[in-house]
Amino acid sequence: MSPSAPARRALVVGATGIAGSAVRDRLLADGWPVSTLSRSAAVTVPGTRQIQADLRSATDLEHALRDEHPTHVFFTAWSREDNEADNIAVNAGMLRDLLAALAHTKVEHVALLTGLKHYLGPFEAYAAGEMADTPFQEEEPRLPVNNFYYAQEDELWAAASRQGFAWSVHRAHTVIGYAVGNAMNMGLTLAVQATICRELDRPFVFPGSEMQWNGLTDMTDADQLADHMVWASTTPGVENEAYNIVNGDVFRWRSMWPRIAAYFGVTPEGFSGAPRPLDLQMVAADVVWRSIADKYDLIEPDSARLASWWHTDGDLGRNIEVLTDMSKSREAGFPGYRRTDRAFTDLFDRLRREHLIPGATQQIEPAKRQA
């Protein structure tokens, strides 16, 4: 930070995930002192202070944070539970207990990451009832269903009233970014699928619905999300609002799928009659991936830490249009924009550099394998 900049200190919760790691890296690049909080010891990132605590334990959080004095909190963590009642209890509880553990210090702003299930409903009631028309706008009323995003917002607002901090809520669509061991990671999932298809000389089959294949949609690049969360946390006059955040472009999977296929040198195959879920396509992925990892000296042989078949099936299997309005952020002055096809290829390039998928020169052409 410049000498005239205010003394800011960030706490990033969920910094090993797609969104949290992008927020952490953005803050570090801007010169912020950054602390990260996670339950287990993670790889230490230069320039950060790592705090180890169980987000499910109020006592653990109180002990771990008693000497911490962040001015800005970025909450990007979540825990997937068996049902929405448990999602509410666990995820709203984690946010409530973390903010309570910071009541001893002057927090200026808390940024909370949620998503478009705010408009679609939770997994167990996903798109089951009447929803707002697309593109989704922030002013739409809540759906008449239990939703842990709603419970988190309520906890955020209650703590803000008690503790006197400003807040922002960031509703992202499917986030494209770099993370390993993440429960919702479409970019890495598609990279693993394409790599397996290339290795086995199989077509790259779209797993989703006819609606998703032909309809318009959008996504959120993790760097775009990080820019948005920092912008809302530091720009006077835009606080205490919920904002949608996507890349700013729209696309159809029928045009995006061949582009991804071309990157990996596989043959694309689109929707044909019915969805073909990855859970079924990739039933033997764990065995195949271990062979690929050994062959190309990759650093992660466990496909379950890379690919989340269920999540990508859920996103691409929807029979509704999912499209997001960014007008509120634009009118407030947020300038960010990303091309979604570029977000995918930038991620794939990084996965190759990090030896999580084979490099372009490592993979053998299918015709040569057959020779």
Side-chain angles (χ1 to χ4, degrees):
M1 293 183 291
S2 66
S4 61
R8 294 168 172 166
R9 299 175 300 279
L11 173 65
V12 181
V13 184
T16 59
I18 299 174
S21 60
V23 171
R24 176 201 64 206
D25 291 348
R26 162 63 197 271
L27 293 168
L28 289 172
D30 286 351
W32 288 56
V34 177
S35 296
T36 62
L37 188 147
S38 60
R39 181 169 58 182
S40 58
V43 176
T44 301
V45 175
T48 65
R49 166 178 159 75
Q50 184 179 319
I51 304 167
Q52 191 168 344
D54 185 352
L55 275 170
R56 295 174 181 240
S57 169
T59 302
D60 206 18
L61 286 168
E62 184 176 0
H63 176 77
L65 295 172
R66 62 188 176 187
D67 295 324
E68 295 297 318
H69 299 278
T71 59
H72 293 69
V73 177
F74 300 85
F75 194 95
T76 68
W78 84 291
S79 176
R80 184 191 181 200
E81 304 300 321
D82 291 336
N83 55 67
E84 196 60 17
D86 289 345
N87 275 331
I88 291 170
V90 171
N91 289 283
M94 292 193 303
L95 179 61
R96 179 185 62 247
D97 293 342
L98 177 116
L99 296 177
L102 292 171
H104 66 276
T105 191
K106 178 59 177 176
V107 174
E108 296 177 15
H109 191 105
V110 177
L112 170 65
L113 172 62
T114 63
L116 295 197
K117 287 189 291 298
H118 184 96
Y119 309 107
L120 296 167
F123 284 123
E124 65 187 45
Y126 201 44
E130 185 174 350
M131 296 176 300
D133 199 5
T134 55
F136 296 130
Q137 295 179 319
E138 295 90 340
E139 294 79 11
E140 295 295 339
R142 291 179 175 182
L143 299 175
V145 296
N146 293 327
N147 190 323
F148 85 82
Y149 285 165
Y150 304 163
Q152 283 187 313
E153 286 185 343
D154 290 342
E155 295 291 352
L156 176 68
W157 299 337
S161 179
R162 289 192 306 269
Q163 296 170 226
F165 57 75
W167 55 269
S168 56
V169 175
H170 304 262
R171 298 171 185 164
H173 197 174
T174 303
V175 181
I176 313 167
Y178 179 87
V180 177
N182 189 270
M184 300 193 300
N185 197 335
M186 181 186 284
L188 187 45
T189 296
L190 296 183
V192 171
Q193 178 196 2
T195 299
I196 289 174
C197 289
R198 183 176 174 88
E199 188 69 17
L200 299 181
D201 197 14
R202 285 168 31 180
F204 182 52
V205 176
F206 180 74
S209 68
E210 184 175 16
M211 171 65 78
Q212 292 306 307
W213 180 250
N214 290 317
L216 286 172
T217 191
D218 49 26
M219 297 183 76
T220 307
D221 179 73
D223 290 338
Q224 168 88 334
L225 173 58
D227 288 349
H228 194 253
M229 295 184 79
V230 175
W231 164 79
S233 299
T234 58
T235 303
V238 305
E239 67 275 7
N240 301 333
E241 296 284 352
Y243 294 102
N244 293 333
I245 172 60
V246 287
N247 288 339
D249 67 348
V250 296
F251 66 93
R252 304 180 199 273
W253 278 106
R254 70 188 187 203
S255 61
M256 185 68 72
W257 201 253
R259 297 180 203 176
I260 295 174
Y263 181 96
F264 288 96
V266 292
T267 302
E269 190 171 307
F271 177 84
S272 181
R276 290 173 281 181
L278 292 173
D279 263 338
L280 299 179
Q281 288 191 49
M282 297 288 137
V283 66
D286 54 343
V287 176
V288 177
W289 189 258
R290 287 187 182 278
S291 174
I292 291 172
D294 181 66
K295 180 177 180 180
Y296 298 112
D297 195 27
L298 305 181
I299 63 173
E300 180 51 73
D302 183 0
S303 64
R305 284 184 46 78
L306 302 176
S308 45
W309 311 123
W310 68 272
H311 174 254
T312 298
D313 283 340
D315 262 11
L316 298 184
R318 294 178 296 209
N319 285 309
I320 55 171
E321 181 182 76
V322 180
L323 202 61
T324 315
D325 190 303
M326 277 279 286
S327 298
K328 186 176 180 180
S329 290
R330 299 301 184 213
E331 288 184 341
F334 178 68
Y337 180 88
R338 297 287 191 280
R339 283 185 51 165
T340 301
D341 57 351
R342 187 75 53 79
F344 272 119
T345 56
D346 286 350
L347 171 62
F348 299 153
D349 287 345
R350 181 174 179 183
L351 296 176
R352 283 177 166 172
R353 292 194 303 271
E354 302 287 345
H355 302 289
L356 283 163
I357 62 174
T361 59
Q362 288 180 293
Q363 295 176 313
I364 303 171
E365 293 295 333
K368 293 180 181 178
R369 286 204 300 268
Q370 295 169 352

